[in-house]
Amino acid sequence: GVFPAGHVNMPGGQQPQKHYGITSAISLAPPRDIDHQYTQKLCDAMKPFGVFEDEEELNHRLAVLGKLNNFVKEWIAEISELKNLPPSAISCVGGKIFTFGSYRLGVHTKGADIDALCVAPRHVERTDFFQSFFEKLKQHEEIKDLRAVEDAFVPVIKFKFDGIEIDLLFARLALQSIPDNLDLRGDSILRNLDIRCIRSLNGCRVTDEILYLVPNKENFRLTLRAIKLWAKRRGIYSNMLGFLGGVSWAMLVARTCQLYPNAVAATLVHKFFLVFSKWEWPNPVLLKQPEESNLNLPVWDPRVNPSDRYHLMPIITPAYPQQNSTYNVSTSTRTIMSEEFKYGLSVTDEILQGKAEWSKLFEPPSFFQKYKHYIVLTASASTEENHLEWIGLVESKIRVLVGNLERNEYITLAHVNPQSFPGSKENRNENDFVSMWFIGIIFKKVENAESVNIDLTYDIQSFTDTVYRQANNINMLKDGMKIEATHVKKKQLHQYLPPELVQKKKRVSLWSHTHTHTQRHRVCVVFNRTSRLSLQSIADSETEAAPPSVLRSSSTAPPSSSSSSSSGKPGAASGSSSQDESNGLEDSVNGAPAKRPHSPTQEEQAKRHKESEVSSNPASQTSPTPSQES
């Protein structure tokens, strides 16, 4: 199970090639001239989006990291002196900064932050890092916006160093000194470490492993830049909201590179959509065979942990202890991403046939035209500082609301737009700071019903309760912090948003090529007084241009021929929507029948997704499996 290993014989007696990944390649074809031309055009299409950094900014980052590295060495020497180490030992204690995430992968964009890890020898404690190192940073005039989040799932110090944002984690190794050439890839380095140190090291170990497991780093980087830009433009880049974060996108691209080891970026982008529009979730994406280790840390393994069998879209980190980086994906977000993969495939097909330009791939979707119904989530506070803190918490909990809505038997899809918007002037008090999120809703067609009353009060109330309770628990709740959710129809959106977002585009909507006419029926949405909502609305059909698979609620519910309770609710049978998605949840995992789990209570969810997610750093993108915390 050690990869990469083995060799593939190349045609024409060339050098044999290292074999990457857990299966053999799909194609070893070398690139043609036209592939290089398409790749150049892809680069040109990405440039306007600020994807590439110039030499000057790159050098500035290197200088800042160099200074930070010297800081760490100085600080560790000072601490060692305080702890009465002999001078001979102090001269070689070392200490080092490692980077991880997008910067380490070489795919960071202009102005992006840097994820870094401070590695210290065994006589330096975590408390030293959060006390004396924090103080040392405070003394420095080039360092601004310094704050520590010591009790996060992955503890972190955040700051701006000469204009560059840095998230700095800490790991203390069981070593007397930290040599400059230390490699974090070996598993033995994890022996006898505190779990927070293991988590902090995880980001670096995963990033290094990904780079080690791709056949050509340059092709990988360019492809990943394109896919990340595409995912951000299409509104599906957010680990916190149940889409994918940076680490997950990197692993999907790495897997594509393994399957087409000689392809250049233009081809790889196309193959990425080909592979993942046909992927049979919940089969996991693995970059290498998971290794056993005698360190006994909890790892993702559906054979061992029943809860792992319910992950909808598992993408498994390659470094021990292996985790599923897409823990937050829900039925709705998976459906939305699957549709986007298919649409990406059709667009790249056109591009490589010369029928369209790369710019088409990066066109944003028409989210505000797509649905008939939306829920507007409003978070407000009375000061800017309170507001920043408040929206961080609210955003980390939006998944709870989407989960509540998905479990409502009348709702087929709940699509949250990751972009938040400032509150409109008419809808708020002059002195409030307001942010809004929008969730598009598709209501399920109910057989033989002229109209149906759907009460969303409970779904919304239990969500707002969760947020207020959490804020209260961590003593964050301040006077003026409010959260409200309102149901609005598409034609009311202009009351909340600038006109250019709401107006119908001339362009055909994203899913119109699969548009089938849906029978009109009326939906009446009721809110009780309790959520400060008293809206009644009568609606037409679910959505204007939804793909048939979405209307059939893509593998969460059988087509609604049976009674209306057979939705993706706990305990309901899960049928599959289409032939190519035949391995929905009803497939057993290694012979054990997989059932829909009960939906976790709010307490469990709150416990599970600790407040780490408020800090959006890639180390916390590998969300814990429940077993890790129990």
Side-chain angles (χ1 to χ4, degrees), residues 25-32 35 42 223 226-227 230 252-279 341-342 344-349 351-352 358 361:
I26 291 175
S27 164
L28 296 172
R32 306 158 302 169
D35 301 326
L42 173 61
T223 308
I227 294 301
W230 164 80
L252 293 187
V253 170
R255 187 71 188 105
T256 311
C257 292
Q258 292 179 337
L259 293 169
Y260 300 90
N262 299 319
V264 287
T267 312
L268 286 165
V269 168
H270 179 236
K271 298 300 189 190
F272 170 91
F273 293 121
L274 180 67
V275 169
F276 294 108
S277 61
K278 306 220 181 312
W279 196 270
F341 290 145
K342 289 177 187 139
L345 179 60
S346 73
V347 173
T348 48
D349 274 339
I351 293 166
L352 298 185
W358 281 108
L361 188 63

Side-chain angles (χ1 to χ4, degrees), residues 81-136:
E81 212 169 331
L82 283 174
K83 300 197 174 186
N84 299 323
L85 264 74
S88 59
I90 292 174
S91 64
C92 63
V93 282
K96 192 177 173 195
I97 289 281
F98 288 86
T99 61
F100 61 98
S102 66
Y103 177 78
R104 170 77 180 95
L105 286 172
V107 297
H108 60 288
T109 52
K110 283 190 176 129
D113 58 354
I114 296 181
D115 295 293
L117 168 72
C118 167
V119 174
R122 63 186 181 199
H123 59 277
V124 179
E125 307 278 339
R126 182 174 290 279
T127 48
D128 297 326
F129 177 71
F130 281 98
Q131 285 159 17
S132 64
F133 188 65
F134 189 83
E135 283 308 312
K136 189 179 173 72

Side-chain angles (χ1 to χ4, degrees), residues 240-455:
M240 193 190 286
L241 293 177
F243 296 103
L244 305 191
V247 176
S248 303
W249 291 119
M251 289 189 283
L252 293 187
V253 170
R255 187 71 188 105
T256 311
C257 292
Q258 292 179 337
L259 293 169
Y260 300 90
N262 299 319
V264 287
T267 312
L268 286 165
V269 168
H270 179 236
K271 298 300 189 190
F272 170 91
F273 293 121
L274 180 67
V275 169
F276 294 108
S277 61
K278 306 220 181 312
W279 196 270
E280 300 196 324
W281 305 108
N283 283 326
V285 175
L286 296 161
L287 295 180
K288 63 181 228 185
Q289 280 304 344
E291 291 147 6
E292 296 299 321
S293 176
N294 53 6
L295 297 173
N296 288 325
L297 293 167
V299 300
W300 186 86
D301 189 343
R303 296 166 304 183
V304 178
N305 315 313
S307 60
D308 291 349
R309 293 172 205 166
Y310 305 117
H311 291 182
L312 299 176
M313 201 172 171
I315 302 172
I316 309 306
T317 58
Y320 180 85
Q322 297 83 6
Q323 300 294 313
N324 175 19
S325 69
T326 60
Y327 184 64
N328 296 337
V329 168
S330 72
T331 51
S332 288
T333 56
R334 184 177 75 174
T335 298
I336 292 153
M337 289 187 283
S338 296
E339 290 299 329
E340 286 292 354
F341 290 145
K342 289 177 187 139
Y343 183 64
L345 179 60
S346 73
V347 173
T348 48
D349 274 339
E350 284 180 27
I351 293 166
L352 298 185
Q353 291 162 12
K355 294 178 188 166
E357 298 301 317
W358 281 108
S359 56
K360 182 171 181 182
L361 188 63
F362 305 124
E363 284 173 4
S366 45
F367 179 82
F368 294 107
Q369 279 79 47
K370 190 183 287 176
Y371 301 104
K372 282 259 165 73
H373 298 269
Y374 294 85
I375 283 177
V376 187
L377 181 61
T378 310
S380 49
S382 44
T383 73
E384 188 164 13
E385 200 176 339
N386 285 357
H387 184 241
L388 278 174
E389 210 181 357
W390 185 228
I391 60 174
L393 176 69
V394 171
E395 185 175 30
S396 76
K397 293 288 171 217
I398 291 177
R399 262 189 355 263
V400 175
L401 175 57
V402 171
N404 291 352
L405 294 168
E406 282 180 338
R407 285 189 291 275
N408 185 307
E409 62 174 319
Y410 293 111
I411 289 178
T412 299
L413 187 87
H415 179 177
V416 56
N417 184 345
Q419 192 186 351
S420 65
F421 296 85
S424 58
K425 291 277 181 283
E426 309 84 85
N427 291 346
R428 60 172 191 201
N429 309 337
E430 281 311 292
N431 47 5
D432 275 2
F433 293 84
V434 181
S435 293
M436 301 183 299
W437 288 267
F438 291 82
I439 302 171
I441 302 288
I442 298 181
F443 286 112
K444 191 169 165 215
K445 283 234 295 298
V446 181
E447 294 296 299
N448 312 325
E450 190 46 43
S451 69
V452 56
N453 282 359
I454 296 171
D455 187 355

Side-chain angles (χ1 to χ4, degrees), residues 99-106 185 201-213 220 247 250 318-319 618:
T99 61
F100 61 98
S102 66
Y103 177 78
R104 170 77 180 95
L105 286 172
R185 276 188 57 235
L201 282 162
N202 191 39
C204 286
R205 287 167 47 81
V206 167
T207 311
D208 286 358
E209 203 62 47
I210 291 171
L211 283 171
Y212 178 73
L213 292 166
F220 164 74
V247 176

Side-chain angles (χ1 to χ4, degrees), residues 505-521:
K505 301 248 186 357
K506 286 282 179 284
R507 223 174 54 243
V508 198
S509 130
L510 156 64
W511 279 331
S512 57
H513 62 289
T514 55
H515 178 30
T516 52
H517 250 338
T518 54
Q519 166 202 347
R520 305 219 164 236
H521 76 302

